[in-house]
Amino acid sequence: MRAAVIVFPGSNCDRDMAVAFREVTGAETTMVWHGESGLPDNVDIVGIPGGFSFGDYLRCGAIAANSPICRAVVDYAKSGGAVLGVCNGFQVLTETGLLPGALMRNSNLKFICKPVDLVVETTDSIFTSGYGKGQKIEIPVAHHDGNYRATGDLLAQLEAEDRIAFRYAEDINGADDRIAGVLSSNRRVLGLMPHPERAVDALHGGTDGVAMFKALAESLVSA
């Protein structure tokens, strides 16, 4: 398995994601600077990490979404490539249009940093097939703008198409329908605010993120 992790000025979870890919899946992982115009050859998955790309100026993820590498990521995703966007990466994916909706300021206007319970809403994706539907898992969050917002019609569409990947077990940031992560229409792109890459080592407090990375390895290597 070959993974590429995008690095923006202000990224602070890029190494975490690279380590998760390497340690859990054994993936050959390449760090790709945002100014590059293309992805490495034969990449199986692209990871867009958390952090504060470009200092979150203008709007979270908005400047990063216009970096040269993001044009390559959009083309890659539209050709059927797999993309995982975590936290700021989720914001970047909405800004590029690869995922619908928007991430707004948390309803309490405070930065939230703690482990939270998530409910797995679908197992029908390369990201979630290692979990059970309705399973409760604990994954850490660290965000100020994780309040997922969408129109009523979009929320209904996401529900009807089984594209809500995870929900918060309890409301933590005001997100519509407690949505923590959503899938693209082809189910090959996942954006989520919680950090599964920070939940792959027991010494860090939990391992509920391991199943996601193992599922990716099994799905992408067999493909």
Side-chain angles (χ1 to χ4, degrees):
M1 178 170 152
R2 295 180 179 88
V5 176
I6 309 302
V7 182
F8 300 102
S11 295
N12 68 1
C13 303
D14 45 338
R15 184 177 180 276
D16 301 43
M17 183 172 282
V19 169
F21 277 130
R22 291 187 189 120
E23 297 298 320
V24 179
T25 73
E28 176 185 320
T29 305
T30 303
M31 311 302 282
V32 182
W33 184 238
H34 75 109
E36 298 292 331
S37 59
L39 295 167
D41 293 335
N42 302 315
V43 167
D44 296 304
I45 186 166
V46 172
I48 306 181
F52 305 91
S53 59
F54 295 92
D56 280 347
Y57 289 110
L58 181 63
R59 198 171 55 243
C60 296
I63 299 176
N66 287 280
S67 289
I69 195 60
C70 278
R71 290 191 284 273
V73 172
V74 169
D75 290 342
Y76 171 78
K78 288 184 175 179
S79 69
V83 181
L84 171 63
V86 174
C87 199
N88 188 227
F90 187 9
Q91 295 160 348
V92 171
L93 289 173
T94 61
E95 290 288 342
T96 61
L98 287 175
L99 289 177
L103 281 308
M104 307 294 289
R105 190 65 49 86
N106 295 340
S107 57
N108 61 6
L109 304 182
K110 294 181 179 179
F111 186 84
I112 302 170
C113 184
K114 63 181 181 178
V116 300
D117 288 334
L118 302 180
V119 178
V120 180
E121 294 293 335
T122 181
T123 60
D124 184 18
S125 79
I126 60 174
F127 308 94
T128 59
S129 61
Y131 298 109
K133 183 176 175 61
Q135 181 179 349
K136 187 177 288 188
I137 60 176
E138 185 181 83
I139 304 289
V141 298
H143 60 248
H144 196 263
D145 296 69
N147 182 353
Y148 183 79
R149 310 296 289 176
T151 65
D153 287 345
L154 175 56
L155 291 172
Q157 180 183 357
L158 292 173
E159 189 72 51
E161 296 177 357
D162 192 31
R163 289 168 54 193
I164 299 172
F166 300 98
R167 280 191 170 94
Y168 300 106
E170 298 180 357
D171 178 29
I172 66 165
N173 55 21
D176 285 340
D177 289 353
R178 305 195 319 278
I179 291 173
V182 298
L183 294 158
S184 60
S185 57
N186 70 354
R187 316 187 77 77
R188 301 279 290 179
V189 178
L190 169 66
L192 73 162
M193 289 308 300
H195 288 266
E197 80 285 3
R198 293 183 180 176
V200 298
D201 189 325
L203 293 176
H204 294 163
T207 58
D208 283 353
V210 168
M212 178 181 295
F213 290 95
K214 283 189 173 180
L216 284 169
E218 291 170 3
S219 298
L220 295 173
V221 171
S222 62

